[in-house]
Structures are given as C-alpha cells and as structure tokens.
Amino acid sequence: MSLTLRTISREQHLAYIQSLPAASHMQVPAWADVKTEWRSENLGWFDDRTGELVGVGLVLYRQLPKIKRYLAYLPEGPVINWFAPNLDDWIQPMLAHLKQQGAFSVKMGPPVIIRRWNADTIKKGIQNPDVKRLRDLQADFIEPRAFEVADKLRRMGWQQGEDGGAGFGDVQPRYVFQVPLANRSLEEVHKNFNQLWRRNIKKAEKAGVEVVQGGYEDLEEWQRLYEITAVRDNFRPRPLSYFQRMWTVLNAEDPNRMRLYFARHNGVNLAAATMLIVGEHVWYSYGASDNIGREVRPSNAMQWRMLRDAYALGATVYDLRGISDSLDETDHLFGLIQFKVGTGGQAAEYLGEWDFPLNKLLHKALDIYMSRR
C-alpha cells in the first residue's frame, strides 16, 4: 500500500477515531485543547489507491527556549496499523513532515502491548522472594509481532526510553493494569476480584456508601479531595483550572468523554475519580480520597461502580492506568500494584516511548536540560 501523509482537519481526525473500536484518549483532537502549552497538529495517512484515510496522529509541539525549534510528541500514538509489513512507509513521511515543521526531535508511544500477566501469576511472583519485577515472571501472553515492531523501529534509528524497561524514563506509563470485560459477565468479573476486594465492596454497601456522578460544578469538591491526596502521597497537584479545562474541552468533543465520580458516606464525599471514555476503552484516570472514612472502603465501592458503568457502556476493557513493574513489597509504589491486582485483571506492558533525534545536537541538549530539572 502506498501512502500519503498530510495535515487534516479536527473533524476528519475525530471521525476516523469514532470509526475505530478504541484509541488512546491522548490521540483524540480535543486532547490538544487540554495541553494548552503545546502547539498541535492533526496528521492523516491516506491510501493512494482509494484516497481513504487509514491512520491519524495528534502531534503536540513544544518549543525550545529562545529558538524556533520544537520537540514533536505523539502521546500513545500515532493511530496507525503498527503491524503493517511496510512500517517504514508510515513512519518515514511522518519524520520528513515533522522535520519540515521545525522539529529537532520526535517522541512517540506506539499503542502496542508486548506482554500480559494475569493477577494469579503476579500474586505468585509477589510471594516469591527471587522475583523483584514483572519482567522476572513468565508472561501469560506474549505478542510476537510487537518484537518485530521494536526491531523495525531500532533499524530505522529510533531509540527506546533510556531506563532499560522500568517504565519511568517514559512520560506515559509503560506498565498498566487492565480488567478485560469482553465476553465476560459482570458476575464473572466480580468473582475474579480477590477476597479482600469483595469483602470491602460488601463492607461499603453495608455501611451505606453511595457512589454518584458529578458535573462541572463539582470539580471544586474534586480538587479538595485531590489536594488532600497530593499532600499525603507527596506529589504536586494539577490546578483546578486544568480539570475544568479538561472537562469542558473533552465533553465538548463528545458529551460522554469524561466523567466524575464521588463515593460518599452520610453526605460526606470521601473519594473521587475521573473517568475517560474513547469507544470501547474506558480509563480510570485520576483518583483522590480523604484521610477520613477509610474504614467504610469508599475507593473499592467507587471502582466497582465505575467498572459496572464501563461494562454498561459496552467497554471491552476497564483500564486502571499506570503501575510500577516492581513486585518488591518495600518499594513505595508497591501498594499501587497490590490494590489493582485485587481486581483480578492483567498487567500489560506497552512498547514504551521512542525517540528519533532529527537534530542530534539539540536532542542531546534537551536530554541534559531534562535530566537537570
């Protein structure tokens, strides 16, 4: 297949995404409006034979201080046929185009999963003192075509994130945790939760925890819980304006793109979460909880409600987003994987993020600049 790449309209881009079963929420046109500090462009690949649009990419451009050169970033994209035998014919025109646009370096995150580990496998790994990371475990599923994609990219001159696979050199998480919903009943999904999760869901029900959806006007209450979480977990919170913008622009593109949930007890909000929806893929995006009321298990109740809602929407996957690949109980991120493993889903490893230095000198300078921040 011979291909032509050109800039397309947001409408064309969105229509293509809507024709697919799913795509990353970071590749919908409105994501550019969330990331206001970047300039953006919508790219389209056309089949020369039919003139049909066969792939899209949202590119975010970040300008280098003082000079008109840009880092071009395609988060969890582009949305193309990654297993095409002629991957070169997709990637080379993109590089040429981005270079013309003044990019000195390109970063992308192929939405390709290499391995999956089932919850039971991970539990056994946690109990085994010789196992320190997910990678030390035999995967339950391996996608051989993903290794071919990685080989092709290396041959083209792409460089993989420098962390050697721990997933933290990447901007987006390399390891995520997903609950598959396709061809399963809700009863099966619930049965697959571990005992603690099932007990906690029951406990929340007994205590009268209710889970409700919120709207734009509730984002201030979301922010209150999120800032409590930030202090407790020692991270820098995003400002309220970020979530207000996210809500406004994503739901303007599709009224069901972003949702907000609260778990409350006796009229007090104890936990909150944002949910993102693109086709059959649903993400638990941001989570927050108060320091009080933990004994009534609001977070478990909220996840179960969100999962059921995702199921009702026809989702094939409920995605709990990033995890660390560490199975070491002393690791500060261990609690995250432990919580998510309780859902009985799967850990998935993506190909990670890849860089192509169009200008090696500027690319190196950026690396040094980023490492000092």
Side-chain angles (χ1 to χ4, degrees), residues 113-117 134 174-178 323 346-350:
I113 288 175
I114 323 183
R115 301 179 184 88
R116 291 182 189 276
W117 295 265
L134 273 174
R174 182 176 301 186
Y175 294 90
V176 300
F177 204 86
Q178 300 177 336
I323 51 171
Q346 302 171 322
E349 180 192 357
Y350 280 91

Side-chain angles (χ1 to χ4, degrees), residues 35-56:
K35 298 291 171 189
T36 46
E37 67 278 30
W38 302 68
R39 178 167 74 81
S40 69
E41 185 183 18
N42 307 81
L43 295 182
W45 282 259
F46 292 85
D47 181 343
D48 288 342
R49 236 182 13 199
T50 61
E52 192 188 348
L53 183 61
V54 289
V56 296

Side-chain angles (χ1 to χ4, degrees), residues 20 28 34 37 89 156 178 189 208 232 261 306 313 338 347:
L20 303 173
V28 301
V34 176
E37 67 278 30
D89 298 349
M156 282 182 225
Q178 300 177 336
V189 173
R232 184 178 65 236
Y261 287 85
M306 288 167 71
L313 286 165
Q338 199 174 28

Side-chain angles (χ1 to χ4, degrees), residues 93-165:
M94 178 181 86
L95 288 175
H97 175 85
L98 297 175
K99 193 172 188 174
Q100 263 180 331
Q101 296 292 310
F104 67 88
S105 186
V106 182
K107 182 186 273 297
M108 66 177 182
V112 174
I113 288 175
I114 323 183
R115 301 179 184 88
R116 291 182 189 276
W117 295 265
N118 294 335
D120 285 344
T121 304
I122 299 168
K123 278 179 215 158
K124 282 181 196 140
I126 290 168
Q127 285 154 9
N128 181 343
D130 296 334
V131 172
K132 295 284 180 252
R133 304 198 162 273
L134 273 174
R135 292 211 157 184
D136 302 339
L137 286 173
Q138 179 68 45
D140 294 290
F141 165 83
I142 290 178
E143 172 54 83
R145 295 178 301 173
F147 294 95
E148 288 170 31
V149 173
D151 282 346
K152 285 177 184 172
L153 292 176
R154 272 189 210 100
R155 283 204 297 273
M156 282 182 225
W158 288 84
Q159 300 163 1
Q160 198 162 15
E162 300 215 342
D163 61 7

